[in-house]
């Protein structure tokens, strides 16, 4: 894996910000896009822009082939059994809301339980809060260990025979924790519950096999894996999706429409009402091609090495607190004593370094950690140890500035 060659595929990285070479350490929020993705989207709009499925003309056929070809790429990428199990969405948020609104509302009642964790993204909290209110179900949280991970003992004690849905992120966007979702799925199924996995932070960085995980639903976003914004996918086991009702109605998703009653198309199209995200799907397909050419195992190994290097180097900064376990994905979240995270992000930005500061759409986790916000550096296949060194130097300067002033 030649990082120098990979970086050449990302034109945005070849620039200066505030007079310094750009160091982009915010890929957990959104990743940068390789030329292959940019060019695939441009080609669609330049050469065969058309709506899909409905037309019989040449451009419509090419667009449909591109769109449905991308669905097959997603199926293969996460090892689903069939393209019928792959629903295109606007992203992880829409996918999780679809599961909550369609499956949750239809299958929950008072006394039932929904189990999630304190580390979840708001997208995997709020939909379940709303469904719990509407159905009378109870929302329960799995506590974290001292090093901000999950123990299977705690999982087993929280999931009960009343649990109907377990929904957990595979990788934490704040802590970098890699959760044992395969083992949790086994526990969930043993208690008669379905397993939902938020794969937003795992799919871009490691091989995902939904059949091996044995999850019932799996959601992820394209923009975090080199693809465009506004596109993602929901995987669901066919036998479950077939029983679910769509939550968006209109064109594309219908079979027959009569004056007072309508019927739906078969999977997966019954969940894709309206003109779909055609260019986004094609761009996502190109991103998958790019990642598979580089190799997910290579990407994961590179990010693991980078995260360990960052942990070692950041620990040398005076007054720093780092959150999360030692073994983690490519995310390092931290605070510097007596310096607000927003100030940290502002000062390092002056050196051309982009990091994230705030609650990271994880306010319950911030409360659990007893902080209001944190700073976060997140890595991807195009980052280097030299960029980590630049971040550390900038953080040391930041600490000295707020300690000693001008």
């Amino acid at each position: 894996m030649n990082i120098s060659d990979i970086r050449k595929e990302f034109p945005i990285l070849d620039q200066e910000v505030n007079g310094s070479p750009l160091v982009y350490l915010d890929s957990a929020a959104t990743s940068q896009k390789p030329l292959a993705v940019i060019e695939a989207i441009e080609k669609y709009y330049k050469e065969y822009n058309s709506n899909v499925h409905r037309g019989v003309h040449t451009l419509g056929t090419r667009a449909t082939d591109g769109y449905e070809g991308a669905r097959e790429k997603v199926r293969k990428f996460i090892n689903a059994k069939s393209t019928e199990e792959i629903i295109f969405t606007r992203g992880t948020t829409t996918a999780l809301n679809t599961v909550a609104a369609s499956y949750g509302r239809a299958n929950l009642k008072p006394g039932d339980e929904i189990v999630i964790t304190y580390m979840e993204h708001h997208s995997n909290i709020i939909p379940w809060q709303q469904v719990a209110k509407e159905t009378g179900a109870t929302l329960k949280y799995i506590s974290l260990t001292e090093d901000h991970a999950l123990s299977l003992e705690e999982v087993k004690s929280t999931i009960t025979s009343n649990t109907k849905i377990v929904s957990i992120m595979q990788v934490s966007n704040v802590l970098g924790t890699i959760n044992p979702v395969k083992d949790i799925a086994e526990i969930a199924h043993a208690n008669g519950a379905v397993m939902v996995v938020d794969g937003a932070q795992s799919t871009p960085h490691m091989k995902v096999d939904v059949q091996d995980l044995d999850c019932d639903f799996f959601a992820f976003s394209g923009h975090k894996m080199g693809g465009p914004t506004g596109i993602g996918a929901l995987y669901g086991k066919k036998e479950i999706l077939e029983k679910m009702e769509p939550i968006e109605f209109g064109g594309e998703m219908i079979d027959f429409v009569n004056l007072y009653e309508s019927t739906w198309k078969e999977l997966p199209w019954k969940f894709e009402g309206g003109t779909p995200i055609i260019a986004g799907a094609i761009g996502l397909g190109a991103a998958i091609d790019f990642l598979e050419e580089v190799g997910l195992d290579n990407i994961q190994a590179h990010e693991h090495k980078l995260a360990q290097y960052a942990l070692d180097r950041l620990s040398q900064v005076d007054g720093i607190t780092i959150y999360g376990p030692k073994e983690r994905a490519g995310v390092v979240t931290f605070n510097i004593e007596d310096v607000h995270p927003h100030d940290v992000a502002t000062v390092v930005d002056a050196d051309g370094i982009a990091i994230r500061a705030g609650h990271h759409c994880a306010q319950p986790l911030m409360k659990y950690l007893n902080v209001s916000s944190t700073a976060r550096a997140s890595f991807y296949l195009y980052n280097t140890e030299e960029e980590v060194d630049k971040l550390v130097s900038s953080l040391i300067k930041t600490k000295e500035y707020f300690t000693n002033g001008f």
Side-chain angles (χ1 to χ4, degrees), residues 15 49 74 96-97 129 177 187 214 331 367 373 385 397:
Q15 64 172 299
N49 175 48
V74 171
L96 293 171
N97 273 271
Q129 290 177 341
T177 307
I187 297 168
D214 196 24
V331 175
K367 186 176 181 180
S373 58
E385 291 184 354
K397 183 172 66 175

Side-chain angles (χ1 to χ4, degrees), residues 72-109:
E72 167 58 21
K73 290 179 182 180
V74 171
R75 182 209 66 76
K76 183 179 177 183
F77 190 64
I78 63 172
N79 194 34
K81 289 182 180 179
S82 166
T83 53
E84 294 174 296
E85 298 180 320
I86 304 299
I87 300 162
F88 281 127
T89 69
R90 290 191 297 110
T92 307
T93 298
T94 304
L96 293 171
N97 273 271
T98 297
V99 177
S102 180
Y103 183 87
R105 286 174 182 163
N107 290 278
L108 293 172
K109 64 184 186 303

Side-chain angles (χ1 to χ4, degrees), residues 49-338:
N49 175 48
S50 180
N51 216 325
V52 297
H53 300 145
R54 303 168 187 168
V56 296
H57 55 74
T58 300
L59 294 189
T61 300
R62 290 181 63 190
T64 299
D65 290 345
Y67 181 72
E68 294 300 337
R71 195 189 306 274
E72 167 58 21
K73 290 179 182 180
V74 171
R75 182 209 66 76
K76 183 179 177 183
F77 190 64
I78 63 172
N79 194 34
K81 289 182 180 179
S82 166
T83 53
E84 294 174 296
E85 298 180 320
I86 304 299
I87 300 162
F88 281 127
T89 69
R90 290 191 297 110
T92 307
T93 298
T94 304
L96 293 171
N97 273 271
T98 297
V99 177
S102 180
Y103 183 87
R105 286 174 182 163
N107 290 278
L108 293 172
K109 64 184 186 303
D112 290 340
E113 299 170 348
I114 307 163
V115 172
I116 61 177
T117 78
Y118 284 99
M119 68 177 74
E120 301 306 318
H121 189 280
H122 292 166
S123 295
N124 201 30
I125 298 176
I126 301 170
W128 303 118
Q129 290 177 341
Q130 298 305 112
V131 169
K133 289 178 183 178
E134 294 171 13
T135 63
T138 300
L139 184 60
K140 296 171 64 178
Y141 287 81
I142 301 172
S143 298
L144 309 183
T145 63
E146 289 186 2
D147 63 346
H148 308 140
L150 295 179
S151 76
L152 292 179
E153 289 74 19
E154 188 68 24
V155 172
K156 290 176 182 177
S157 67
T158 307
I159 296 173
T160 73
S161 59
N162 293 323
T163 303
K164 304 304 178 186
I165 296 173
V166 179
S167 191
I168 294 177
M169 53 172 38
Q170 189 170 17
V171 172
S172 170
N173 68 311
V174 177
L175 304 169
T177 307
I178 302 173
N179 289 319
V181 292
K182 180 178 179 178
D183 295 326
I184 297 172
E186 185 176 350
I187 297 168
H189 292 154
N191 284 275
V194 300
M195 182 71 188
V196 184
V197 178
D198 173 354
Q201 299 293 340
S202 60
T203 313
H205 308 285
M206 62 183 67
K207 283 185 177 179
V208 169
D209 185 332
V210 293
Q211 293 189 66
D212 180 62
L213 295 178
D214 196 24
C215 55
D216 300 286
F217 298 98
F218 188 94
F220 68 95
S221 299
H223 73 98
K224 297 182 188 293
M225 51 186 285
T229 55
I231 185 69
L234 170 65
Y235 157 82
K237 289 181 178 176
K238 182 180 177 181
E239 58 270 25
I240 299 177
L241 291 176
E242 286 181 330
K243 298 176 183 178
M244 290 167 52
E245 286 294 304
I247 61 172
E248 191 171 33
F249 305 93
E252 282 290 328
M253 53 76 64
I254 55 88
D255 188 12
F256 289 102
V257 176
N258 298 307
L259 288 178
Y260 301 103
E261 194 172 294
S262 300
T263 58
W264 320 135
K265 276 185 180 177
E266 65 272 21
L267 292 173
W269 303 292
K270 76 173 183 179
F271 290 104
E272 295 180 6
T275 296
I277 313 156
I278 305 167
I282 291 169
L284 175 57
I288 288 173
D289 290 341
F290 180 83
L291 294 180
E292 289 188 326
E293 183 177 349
V294 175
L296 269 296
D297 288 339
N298 293 330
I299 294 171
Q300 185 175 10
H302 171 69
E303 291 178 6
H304 179 267
K305 180 180 178 182
L306 206 56
Q308 296 306 309
Y309 182 77
L311 286 174
D312 292 340
R313 293 286 285 114
L314 286 168
S315 64
Q316 300 171 19
V317 179
D318 185 43
I320 199 168
T321 299
I322 299 173
Y323 305 95
K326 175 67 174 176
E327 289 296 320
R328 63 173 68 203
V331 175
V332 180
T333 298
F334 59 92
N335 273 325
I336 297 178
E337 185 180 6
D338 298 327

